[in-house]
């Protein structure tokens, strides 16, 4: 009865081959909708924007883009704008990724006839699914963010950005495992992740798995200003990670 497409990213390339095929395959969801059904699309994604002209009024675009039908306002406050009205998001919706996801949910709710009040109440009651940005407190006092449901280059970057935007810890650490199902593009995409990581305000990065080796090499080549370690499996790194945990520390875990 409705569809939501959040983004087109290089996920499962081992099976799809390239990004255009990912886009076309996801677009089959729109083709399966009954006539007139609403389609919720991220206006920040250039591929998904390709659908907007043909969809017309059926399209409920969301995101940070200025022409989004449900727009995330820039600035420190978490506010959505819909047809000139402002919808202030609950306190728990703080980081850019939270706001983007909230705008997707809000757009779907509004498309299906919910009031802004009902949308806000639904967002206030949100709890993350298991292994999706689930926060835990380690016995050492460290804050642990477990985001290991799955991983691809886009979600890895988005998750890390969200992690770095939240909390006030002075030491931010990341444990990242292989991004699976990337096929022939795996080495290149892992290396690009490593180069990107080198510029982030982290205090240490541990990489786990054979496919993460190019990321470790790229981090070293970029002269990352923090310790970097790589191992084929997690057991070899466990003691070093435990030694860094404590109050004032946050740890982010993500992998396929």
């Amino acid at each position: 009865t409705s569809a939501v497409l959040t983004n087109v990213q290089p996920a499962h390339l081992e099976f799809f081959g390239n990004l255009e095929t990912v886009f076309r395959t996801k677009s089959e969801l729109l083709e399966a909708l009954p006539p007139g059904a609403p389609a919720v699309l991220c206006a920040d994604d250039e591929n998904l924007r390709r659908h907007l002209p043909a969809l017309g009024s059926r399209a409920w675009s969301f995101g940070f883009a200025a022409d989004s039908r449900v727009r995330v306002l820039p600035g420190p406050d978490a506010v959505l704008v819909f047809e000139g009205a402002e919808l202030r998001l609950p306190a728990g919706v703080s980081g850019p990724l939270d706001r983007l996801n909230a705008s997707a949910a809000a757009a779907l709710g509004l498309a299906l006839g919910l009031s802004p009040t009902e949308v806000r109440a639904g967002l206030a009651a949100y709890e993350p699914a298991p292994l999706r940005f689930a926060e835990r407190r380690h016995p050492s006092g460290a804050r642990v963010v477990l985001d290991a449901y799955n991983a691809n280059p886009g979600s890895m970057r988005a998750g890390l950005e969200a992690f770095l935007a939240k909390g006030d810890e002075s030491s931010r650490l990341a444990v990242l495992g292989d991004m699976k199902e990337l096929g022939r593009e795996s080495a290149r995409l892992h290396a690009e992740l490593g180069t990107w990581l080198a510029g982030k305000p982290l205090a240490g990065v541990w990489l786990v798995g054979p496919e993460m080796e190019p990321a470790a090499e790229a981090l070293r080549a970029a002269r990352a200003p923090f310790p970097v370690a790589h191992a084929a499996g997690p057991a070899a790194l466990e003691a070093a990670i435990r030694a860094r945990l404590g109050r004032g520390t946050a740890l982010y875990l993500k992998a396929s």
Side-chain angles (χ1 to χ4, degrees), residues 101-251:
N101 286 335
S103 70
L108 178 61
L110 293 166
L112 296 177
L114 296 182
S115 69
T117 300
E118 289 172 311
V119 168
R120 192 183 187 284
L123 292 171
Y126 166 76
E127 292 184 5
L131 304 183
R132 286 199 184 272
F133 226 82
E135 294 202 8
R136 301 179 180 179
R137 187 63 61 177
H138 188 264
S140 67
R143 181 170 64 93
V144 177
V145 178
L146 183 57
D147 193 25
Y149 179 87
N150 206 345
N152 64 58
S155 70
M156 191 74 88
R157 286 173 170 79
L160 275 160
E161 292 282 19
F163 167 69
L164 292 170
K166 285 187 173 183
D168 56 1
E169 293 87 0
S170 58
S171 179
R172 307 293 184 94
L173 310 170
V175 180
L176 308 176
D178 288 343
M179 299 182 290
K180 299 291 190 181
E181 299 180 356
L182 296 179
R184 292 176 295 179
E185 297 295 312
S186 180
R188 177 181 67 82
L189 292 170
H190 280 83
E192 288 178 358
L193 175 69
T195 302
W196 178 83
L197 281 168
K200 296 302 166 186
L202 293 161
V205 171
W206 291 270
L207 303 171
V208 183
E211 295 184 63
M212 269 294 172
E213 188 169 354
E217 293 173 356
L219 271 164
R220 296 185 184 109
R223 300 184 182 277
F226 46 76
V228 176
H230 172 259
L237 301 175
E238 188 174 329
I241 296 169
R242 286 182 184 276
R244 293 289 301 275
L245 298 181
R247 295 191 180 279
T249 299
L251 179 69

Side-chain angles (χ1 to χ4, degrees), residues 79-99:
V79 177
L80 301 181
V81 174
F82 162 65
E83 293 184 350
E86 289 191 356
L87 185 133
R88 191 165 295 275
L89 295 172
V93 182
S94 55
L97 186 59
D98 284 344
R99 298 180 192 188

Side-chain angles (χ1 to χ4, degrees), residues 32-53:
L33 288 175
V40 179
L41 308 173
C42 181
D44 302 335
D45 189 292
E46 290 302 319
N47 279 304
L48 295 180
R49 289 184 70 93
R50 291 156 60 181
H51 287 301
L52 295 179

